[in-house]
Amino acid sequence: MKNLRKIYWIELFVWGVFLLISCSEHRTTTNYYFDPVNGNDSNKGTSEKKPFRSLSKISALGIKPGDSLLLKGGAVFTEEFNLTCRGSESMPVVISKYGSSERPSLNGNGKYDASVHILNSEYIEIRDLEISNDAGKSIPGLNGLWIELRNFG
């Protein structure tokens, strides 16, 4: 009888530990760094010292809730910034700057429909960026920042 009771408590303990581990929420987040001058697209892009160069790398990253896309402060990005991802209420995806008090500039110079196009995404925070898409003349449908929901929800 004593052995059965001991086995019961061991089983109960094992199940308790299993439930505790499976119910706890542990998420790893990643900061991705971009520098259009000193970056290199063969870098991992996960440190300030080894940033990506091209914003086109974003589409292959598999952005998760809590991840950050950080652009070099004071740098000028002239390529499109396209993003489709989902953050969460408690862990938004952040698009911001690093390395300098100056804002990075995203300027499409009128070459794209939008300098920054956020498609079918939610829980995104955009801060400390300068966004423009000046073509030098008025062009209908030209956007600096375009947030679009297409066949979503």
Side-chain angles (χ1 to χ4, degrees):
M1 194 70 162
K2 236 181 185 180
N3 283 340
L4 283 177
R5 192 175 301 155
K6 190 174 182 182
I7 290 171
Y8 170 78
W9 285 110
I10 290 172
E11 260 185 50
L12 188 62
F13 175 76
V14 169
W15 277 107
V17 169
F18 172 76
L19 285 173
L20 183 63
I21 291 171
S22 64
C23 292
S24 65
E25 190 174 318
H26 177 71
R27 293 186 183 158
T28 303
T29 62
T30 306
N31 291 335
Y32 295 101
Y33 298 87
F34 296 85
D35 181 340
V37 176
N38 298 309
N40 186 322
D41 285 343
S42 60
N43 289 341
K44 289 180 92 176
T46 55
S47 76
E48 289 184 36
K49 294 184 182 203
K50 294 196 174 191
F52 291 125
R53 177 182 294 261
S54 305
L55 297 175
S56 62
K57 295 291 287 184
I58 293 170
S59 63
L61 294 177
I63 303 299
K64 302 177 302 307
D67 286 353
S68 295
L69 302 169
L70 303 171
L71 311 183
K72 177 81 174 195
V76 177
F77 294 82
T78 57
E79 62 182 299
E80 284 180 292
F81 184 111
N82 292 302
L83 180 65
T84 298
C85 68
R86 289 186 178 173
S88 70
E89 187 172 356
S90 62
M91 299 179 78
V93 172
V94 175
I95 305 165
S96 192
K97 65 177 176 126
Y98 76 94
S100 169
S101 61
E102 290 182 76
R103 293 179 179 170
S105 174
L106 291 145
N107 188 345
N109 295 313
K111 292 188 244 174
Y112 314 107
D113 289 340
S115 293
V116 178
H117 185 202
I118 310 292
L119 175 65
N120 293 347
S121 299
E122 57 189 358
Y123 296 106
I124 309 291
E125 287 183 14
I126 301 172
R127 59 178 177 243
D128 299 320
L129 305 178
E130 186 177 303
I131 302 170
S132 65
N133 198 14
D134 187 0
K137 60 183 176 180
S138 180
I139 298 176
L142 200 62
N143 302 283
L145 172 62
W146 182 15
I147 300 174
E148 178 184 13
L149 297 176
R150 185 184 323 143
N151 302 319
F152 185 81

